[in-house]
Amino acid sequence: MINTDSFMELRSDIVLSGSVQESIALLTDYFDVEYFTLHLFRSGKEANNTPYVRTNYPDGWVAQYLMNDYVKIDPVLAYAKTNTAPFCWSEMTLGLPQMQMMGKALAAGVGQTGFSVTHMDHVNRRSILSFNARTAPGGETWKPFIAANEAALRGLSEDLHMKALAEIFSEQEDLPQLSPRESECLKWTAEGKAHTEIAIILGLSEHTVRSYLKVARIKLDSVSLAQAVAKASSMGLI
């Protein structure tokens, strides 16, 4: 069981640390685990052009991963997209390409055991924090550790998610600050929903939906709603 006092100190240190990469070093020391990775699933054109990943995996494995475009078959990322609860990697069912990829990871020095914790924010941006080690504490699986510490691990995942977003946003000039409702209305507009449909989905009046979208369009300095949706998507806001 994670010690509450020391864990709260860790979370405070992470908030105060300069970057996600520095936070990973703090996690490695605290949990006595070899490797951590934070992957933020970005939206719009940024999803493929500039994926957000921070890790302390061996350089050789990172190079192999990138050169072989393993992000397209990574079983951890695929599993995380359809599961909201923390999960052990041993729960995943691997096909031949995934088994070959994991075999190469082991050969490159990656640990045999691991688990991941996902976080999704109010505009459905998802991140995954992965722990990797040669052995799990007290046995062959991380399940007892996850069960005893799920709330703490979810809080940690949220901290790093927000820190990653702050890093991304700091790289962009004058990023618009959309409210949760403005983001939601834009997201549904991007999916082809009309004002009346969005109003029903969100339990709002059509007038209120139009108001949120008008404010979002102004914040995004767009002459049309279509342009606002395109801008918001390219910035990872929806």
Side-chain angles (χ1 to χ4, degrees):
M1 186 75 176
I2 292 174
N3 178 275
T4 302
D5 291 338
S6 63
F7 185 71
M8 292 307 295
E9 289 181 9
L10 170 68
R11 291 186 65 178
S12 177
D13 289 342
I14 285 174
V15 170
L16 295 173
S17 67
S19 66
V20 171
Q21 198 66 45
E22 290 178 14
S23 298
I24 286 176
L26 295 173
L27 292 174
T28 303
D29 291 340
Y30 182 85
F31 287 100
D32 193 25
V33 171
E34 285 86 356
Y35 303 117
F36 285 88
T37 299
L38 181 73
H39 186 116
L40 182 68
F41 295 99
R42 303 180 73 169
S43 59
K45 67 180 182 181
E46 302 299 320
N48 295 320
N49 295 342
T50 54
Y52 182 96
V53 181
R54 297 292 184 270
T55 186
N56 65 337
Y57 275 141
D59 291 341
W61 170 240
V62 173
Q64 282 191 64
Y65 189 97
L66 295 174
M67 285 190 297
N68 290 283
D69 208 13
Y70 282 144
V71 68
K72 293 182 178 179
I73 64 168
D74 191 326
V76 176
L77 300 184
Y79 198 85
K81 287 182 178 179
T82 57
N83 292 271
T84 57
F87 62 91
C88 290
W89 294 358
S90 57
E91 299 174 21
M92 302 183 301
T93 300
L94 306 182
L96 180 59
Q98 290 79 25
M99 292 177 63
Q100 292 173 335
M101 172 192 146
M102 297 302 274
K104 291 181 179 179
L106 290 175
V110 175
Q112 292 184 325
T113 70
F115 73 94
S116 299
V117 186
T118 61
H119 177 76
M120 182 179 289
D121 61 26
H122 67 275
V123 291
N124 295 328
R125 288 172 298 208
R126 186 189 298 266
S127 64
I128 172 172
L129 176 64
S130 295
F131 296 59
N132 176 254
R134 291 179 176 83
T135 58
E140 297 181 356
T141 176
W142 288 90
K143 286 185 178 181
F145 179 82
I146 294 173
N149 300 290
E150 182 172 346
L153 293 170
R154 284 184 179 276
L156 180 63
S157 178
E158 181 179 5
D159 290 344
L160 288 165
H161 178 94
M162 298 308 295
K163 197 169 191 67
L165 288 176
E167 284 190 6
I168 291 172
F169 291 170
S170 68
E171 296 170 358
Q172 303 178 44
E173 295 182 1
D174 301 322
L175 188 76
Q177 298 300 307
L178 300 179
S179 72
R181 282 301 195 193
E182 290 161 4
S183 296
E184 286 177 325
C185 289
L186 281 174
K187 175 181 175 293
W188 285 114
T189 299
E191 295 187 12
K193 302 297 184 183
H195 297 102
T196 52
E197 295 174 300
I198 298 172
I200 294 171
I201 292 170
L202 299 180
L204 303 171
S205 70
E206 184 178 347
H207 174 76
T208 300
V209 169
R210 288 181 181 276
S211 296
Y212 279 130
L213 288 172
K214 179 180 179 180
V215 172
R217 180 174 59 78
I218 293 171
K219 287 183 177 180
L220 289 161
D221 192 26
S222 300
V223 296
S224 67
L225 191 54
Q227 184 184 16
V229 168
K231 279 190 175 183
S233 178
S234 69
M235 293 176 179
L237 298 177
I238 61 173

